[in-house]
Each structure stands twice: as C-alpha cells, then as structure tokens.
Amino acid sequence: MSSADKNLSVFNTDGLPDISSKKFAILVAEWNSEVTERLFEGAYQTLIQYGSSPENIERGNVPGSFELTLGAQWFADRRDVDAVIALGVVIQGETKHNDYINHAVAQGITNVSLKTGKPVIFGVLTPNTMEQALDRAGGIHGNKGDEAAMTAIKMLGLYHQIALAQSR
Ligand code: RBF
C-alpha cells in the first residue's frame, strides 16, 4: 500500500503489551494548532483505548515543531517517562523553512531516542497543504496521532520482548 492510501488509524493490534503501568509524555507544537490539537486527541484516545490511564499521560506544549527535540529530551531524560510522542505539523511549500525544520526534527528526535534508549516517536505531519494535513488528523486518511501512539505502544512491546529474552 502506498503511503498516500494508508489509513493512519488502522493497524495490526496483535500481541500488544500491557501498558497500564507505563508513563507517556505527549509533546504538542502550537504552530498549526487546529491540526496539532486533533493529533493530540488521537494520540491521547489511542493510549487510553489500549490500556493507559489519564494519570499516566502527561502533556507538554512547545511553540513550534523545531522545539519538539529539546522538549522530547527533557521528557525522555526523566526516569519515570517510558515513551515520548512528539506531535507537529509543518506545511511544505509555504516557506523553505519547512525543509530545515523537518530535517532538524527528524534527526533530533532520532538522536534523543538513541541517546536515552526510549521510544521517541516522530508524529510530525509534513503535508503540502492544510487540507492534506486535516485529512491526516482525523480525516479521510485517519489520524497521525493515533499512529504515533500505536508506534509508541509497539516499541514498548518490542523492548519488553528483548529485555525478557536477555533475562532468560
Ligand atoms: N513550526 C511548525 O511547527 N510548523 C510550521 O509549519 C512552521 N513554519 C515556520 C515557518 C517559518 C518561516 C518560521 C520562521 C518558523 C516556522 N515554524 C513552524 C516555527 C519553528 O518550528 C520554531 O518554533 C521557530 O522557528 C522558533 O522561532
């Protein structure tokens, strides 16, 4: 399936881990907040649907997507946080700035994830238009926030599997 056809809210949920004791941080960029609020709603509801609880989900806001990296590091450095979900929307074409922001955030989030050994999920939409963004924030292509939350859950499951294998 091409990424254009993918519904971001449809996933394989076989073998998901128990996340009832896991702590999640969700970072939300304020730029394009009409979209990022929908991403947040999707991520939050997906975590709840698959076993988390409101007291185990903490939200933090950053001004723009560029700041997601440092916000993610602050959260991931905290011992009680198990996974971080970073949500933003950078509309392509409005300005060349988008390229710099997208590359910096993708690289930065990867670095934070590797440095801390925790899932730090890149939940940043990079569409050409606002319409395409809304299509992926609870519209016809589902919700990138749902997908980002599910990715965090699956990565915690993989970590659990690998850690268990080591302790055998
Ligand atoms: N932040 C976003 O999250 N999405 C954007 O589409 C976006 N576009 C920007 C365009 C320009 C020209 C500038 C200067 C910033 C933009 N930002 C955007 C904000 C950026 O992530 C960061 O918050 C600011 O650059 C900090 O001053």
Side-chain angles (χ1 to χ4, degrees), residues 29-32 36 62-68 87-92 94-98 101-102 105 124-125:
E30 289 169 348
W31 264 73
N32 301 311
T36 59
V62 292
S65 292
F66 196 79
E67 288 75 41
L68 287 170
L87 303 174
V89 176
V90 184
I91 311 245
Q92 310 259 4
E94 271 183 7
T95 152
K96 246 188 85 174
H97 228 74
N98 67 69
I101 297 173
N102 292 342
V105 178
V124 179
L125 284 173

Side-chain angles (χ1 to χ4, degrees), residues 4-49:
D5 296 330
K6 180 170 166 52
N7 188 309
L8 295 159
S9 300
V10 177
F11 11 72
N12 175 2
T13 57
D14 294 346
L16 293 180
D18 174 8
I19 58 164
S20 58
S21 63
K22 300 294 180 194
K23 176 118 184 161
F24 294 88
I26 304 180
L27 274 168
V28 185
E30 289 169 348
W31 264 73
N32 301 311
S33 63
E34 64 274 38
V35 185
T36 59
E37 287 303 324
R38 294 178 195 207
L39 298 180
F40 171 76
E41 265 316 299
Y44 185 89
Q45 294 304 339
T46 298
L47 293 177
I48 297 290
Q49 184 181 346

